[in-house]
């Protein structure tokens, strides 16, 4: 199985270009070229599957996002987008278990009626296809959704085995004593799906 594809188009005045090259390699498949370009924005990366009969256990690769003007992806997303987003996703394997490492940074993002002034995320998702466990931190600032402003949301997570210990702190204004909510809990992956245990919850709204 091999392929070498290139596509160009113009959607709502935006020039789009896509490229894909795939070639067999041993018992698997290698995709050294994978890209999508819309104006100044690019998604590019590469993938490899060492054994097609064990695809999820041998899939590796990376994807780089460089989008200084998300509005040029609006036609593809079928919704109005705006802002800037950059980052990288790396997929690795260890003992047949996939790990995804996600780093994202964004500013002045808006999509589907929600606005985010700042986004910074560094997350690792282990055992991606069987019993996912999340670790890392993410912060979003200057959020406006449904007409409600939220100054800042912080999320931290620590994955241990099949469990993810997490905490979330959301504040409607600046300051640790501002109105908002803080919670912590555990998300466990089991044979019957996901189990959520909420350990603490502290909220306050004075208007």
């Amino acid at each position: 199985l091999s392929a070498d594809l290139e596509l160009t188009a113009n959607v709502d005045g935006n020039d789009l270009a896509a490229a894909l090259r795939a070639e067999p390699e041993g018992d698997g498949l290698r995709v050294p070229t994978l890209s999508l370009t819309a104006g100044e924005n690019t998604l590019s990366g590469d993938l490899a599957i060492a054994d097609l009969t064990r695809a999820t256990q041998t899939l590796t690769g990376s994807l780089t996002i460089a989008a200084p003007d998300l509005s040029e992806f609006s036609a593809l997303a079928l919704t109005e987008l705006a802002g800037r987003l950059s980052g990288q996703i790396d997929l690795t394997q260890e003992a047949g278990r996939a790990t995804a490492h996600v780093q994202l940074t964004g500013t002045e993002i808006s999509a589907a009626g929600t606005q985010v002034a700042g986004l910074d995320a560094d997350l690792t998702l282990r055992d991606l296809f069987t019993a996912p466990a999340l670790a890392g931190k993410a912060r979003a600032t200057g959020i406006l959704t449904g007409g409600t402003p939220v100054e800042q949301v912080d999320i931290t997570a620590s994955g241990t085995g099949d469990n993810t210990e997490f905490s979330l702190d959301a504040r409607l204004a600046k300051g640790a004593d501002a109105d908002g909510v803080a919670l912590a809990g555990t998300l466990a992956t089991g044979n019957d799906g996901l189990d959520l245990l909420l350990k603490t919850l502290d909220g306050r709204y004075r208007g």
Side-chain angles (χ1 to χ4, degrees):
L1 175 65
S2 62
D4 195 348
L5 305 174
E6 291 187 2
L7 172 68
T8 59
N10 186 283
V11 181
D12 289 342
N14 294 316
D15 292 327
L16 303 177
L20 170 69
R21 183 159 64 91
E23 55 194 33
E25 187 173 73
D27 294 327
L29 181 70
R30 191 167 71 97
V31 183
T33 302
L34 178 64
S35 67
L36 174 64
T37 302
E40 298 179 357
N41 307 281
T42 60
L43 299 176
S44 61
D46 60 88
L47 297 172
I49 301 175
D51 186 347
L52 289 173
T53 65
R54 302 169 57 245
T56 61
Q57 296 168 302
T58 61
L59 173 64
T60 59
S62 64
L63 179 66
T64 299
I65 304 167
D69 184 5
L70 285 172
S71 67
E72 295 176 317
F73 278 129
S74 296
L76 290 178
L78 300 179
T79 187
E80 288 297 321
L81 303 175
R84 295 174 291 277
L85 183 67
S86 63
Q88 182 158 328
I89 302 172
D90 293 307
L91 185 62
T92 59
Q93 293 281 346
E94 183 176 351
R97 296 187 175 189
T99 294
H101 183 205
V102 180
Q103 293 178 297
L104 291 174
T105 302
T107 56
E108 304 303 331
I109 298 170
S110 67
T114 296
Q115 300 174 22
V116 179
L119 172 67
D120 191 0
D122 190 340
L123 302 169
T124 299
L125 190 59
R126 295 184 175 87
D127 210 354
L128 181 62
F129 299 112
T130 50
L134 183 67
K137 297 181 179 181
R139 168 174 289 182
T141 57
I143 304 165
L144 181 63
T145 179
T148 301
V150 178
E151 176 63 29
Q152 183 169 302
V153 175
D154 287 290
I155 300 172
T156 61
S158 175
T160 56
D162 295 337
N163 297 337
T164 296
E165 302 284 337
F166 68 89
S167 65
L168 180 148
D169 188 275
R171 296 294 146 189
L172 300 183
K174 293 182 178 180
D177 61 345
D179 291 347
V181 61
L183 59 86
T186 300
L187 187 64
T189 304
N191 294 330
D192 298 326
L194 297 175
D195 295 321
L196 176 62
L197 172 63
L198 191 60
K199 295 180 178 180
T200 62
L201 174 62
D202 181 19
R204 178 175 60 191
Y205 182 69
R206 294 170 293 186

